[in-house]
Amino acid sequence: MTVQRVEPGGPLRGRIQVPGDKSISHRMLILAALADGTSTIRGLSGGDDVLRTRRILEALGIRTFEAAGVLNVHGGALSPAKGPLDVGNSGTGIRLLAGLLAGMDFLSVLDGDDSIRRRPMDRVLEPLRAMGATVAGREGSDLAPLTVGGGGLSGIEYRLPVASAQVKGCVLFAGLSADSPTTVIEDRPSRAHTEELMLATGITVDESSEDGLNVTTVHPGRPEPFTHDIAGDPSQAAFWAVAAAIVPGSEVVLGNVYAGPARLGFVEVLQRMGAHLVLDPASGDMTVRNSELVGTDIAADEVPGLVDEVPILAVAAAMAEGVTTFDGVEELRIKESDRLAAVESQLGRMGAEVRVENDRLVVTGRPEGVGLRGVGVDSHGDHRIAMACAVAALVAKGPTTITGWDAVSTSYPDFYGHLQALRNGNRPEVADRSADEGS
Ligand code: S3P
């Protein structure tokens, strides 16, 4: 376990390119593996989560070749792996791959780290069972390690019990191998990458909105080989957006950020809080300047569009005037860590006033007019908690030490390098967008 010390300091200035979007990266790899021929992917996320998905596809017989930040994937038929497939810390990896592998006529074992073994997998195993897949979890429960496979799937109509793009993605990937179309119905739309990328790679997908419900139907088939440039990850941009908003004198440009559905909830919330944040829809460039923030109320309906940004928005809230409430955030309990408990305890240690009330998070900004203080905090093994604490540390009194900093490598290995570059006010180039970074 590594420890990172973060000193408070002066303004952040300059332009950075955040890593390629993690959600898109997983899906592009899986689609490339299914396409019969060579696909080319640029800007793949360099984090360990995505690297694991790539290695798993290689273990299933797919060849990949990376040079100068460009990954070629030679897709086609998958073959049984020689051993268990280790997703590491990646919930997206295990759930999407479960959907892919359910449709294969061989069995695979999917496993991951301690956090993955605690996270609920019934949410994907239930629909896969309904489609006729052979699936089983540990000790009769639905926890990883999972056995998945069997093939012979039937299309189903499935209404998601929780707003989850991972579950939607799992069912739609399984649907590619079913004998008839598969429909997923959502009450609250989650990120749309699976359907967007399936459509872009030649798969037939029907999308509609009925009685306020989001309905997506995928037709069985295989993608065509493709070339795709992955835009920057908005969930990573959010850390710098909040950092620039709260550190006096800052002005940061985040280049080419993905600006699609259900990913930019944090932009709207920060703007509502009074942040100077401008997003150029044509280039995806996001410019953020320091400003005074005020508290806001975030409704449960908004949460699917900012589910990964709650920890960093809690940091913004701690520095805002007044109270910020986050409603309907119970899903945060079952992320890489219990993020509600981690935000409450770790930002609390730094002097923020954070309360969890059942499925609600309440942050009272600037307690007694005093800012945050630098102390020792713990990442809880969760990249987003570590990075949120690092941003809070920039405006704390005294240095902060973050134990379990290595968790950051799952999604953003060069986070600290980018912080130093922004402190120097220079313009780091996109050195980190090659597929092999973090390996
Ligand atoms: C993701 C969906 C979200 C998000 C995760 C990535 C995806 O999870 O938290 O980081 O790529 O589909 P849920 O589907 O559990 O909401």
Side-chain angles (χ1 to χ4, degrees), residues 91-100 102 110 119-137 142-144 146-148 153 156 158 160-162 164-174:
T92 305
I94 195 166
R95 292 183 176 128
L96 296 183
L97 287 164
L100 168 79
L110 284 164
R119 295 179 70 181
M121 294 300 149
D122 50 342
R123 52 180 59 197
V124 287
L125 297 192
E126 270 171 29
L128 293 178
R129 278 192 189 108
M131 296 177 84
T134 304
V135 294
D142 282 339
L143 296 172
L146 309 175
T147 306
V148 184
L153 304 184
I156 55 167
Y158 191 65
L160 292 188
V162 282
S164 167
Q166 293 178 355
V167 178
K168 174 171 61 175
C170 170
V171 175
L172 294 178
F173 273 118

Side-chain angles (χ1 to χ4, degrees), residues 172 181-184 195 203-208 215-219:
L172 294 178
T182 295
T183 297
V184 175
E195 49 272 43
I203 290 165
T204 306
V205 181
D206 308 320
E207 292 174 272
S208 63
V215 182
T216 308
T217 299
V218 67
H219 294 252

Side-chain angles (χ1 to χ4, degrees), residues 22-24 26-27 92 95-96 119 123 163-167 191 193 307-308 331 335-336 339 384:
K22 184 157 75 72
S23 293
I24 297 176
H26 285 291
R27 289 163 172 84
T92 305
R95 292 183 176 128
L96 296 183
R119 295 179 70 181
R123 52 180 59 197
S164 167
Q166 293 178 355
V167 178
R191 60 190 74 188
H193 304 304
V307 65
D308 290 338
E331 276 289 299
K335 294 293 181 186
E336 286 83 328
R339 286 189 176 152
R384 297 200 201 281

